[in-house]
Amino acid sequence: MTKMEDIKKKSDSELATAINTARKTIQDERFKDNFSKKPAVIQNAKRDVARGLTELSARRRNNVTK
């Protein structure tokens, strides 16, 4: 799991890459066999996607208002 402090330090391109990686992780875990699925991995990846998107939208909002 990535902390918000770490996410805020990343550039926009690094955040986009991290979001895409987390989304790929979610997809891979969902299509696994029922016995090999790990719900915690899916949950953590979802949180990483949400945190990354939140930070990207906050940056865009701050750039528009300046």
Side-chain angles (χ1 to χ4, degrees), residues 46-57:
K46 282 182 172 182
R47 285 184 184 152
D48 289 343
V49 169
R51 287 178 177 147
L53 291 174
T54 300
E55 181 60 25
L56 279 177
S57 67

Side-chain angles (χ1 to χ4, degrees), residues 2-4 8 12 17 19 22 29 33 36 42 64 66:
T2 309
K3 294 185 180 182
M4 276 305 283
K8 289 183 179 185
D12 290 345
T17 304
I19 291 169
E29 282 295 317
D33 188 23
S36 62
I42 295 172
V64 171
K66 288 184 180 179

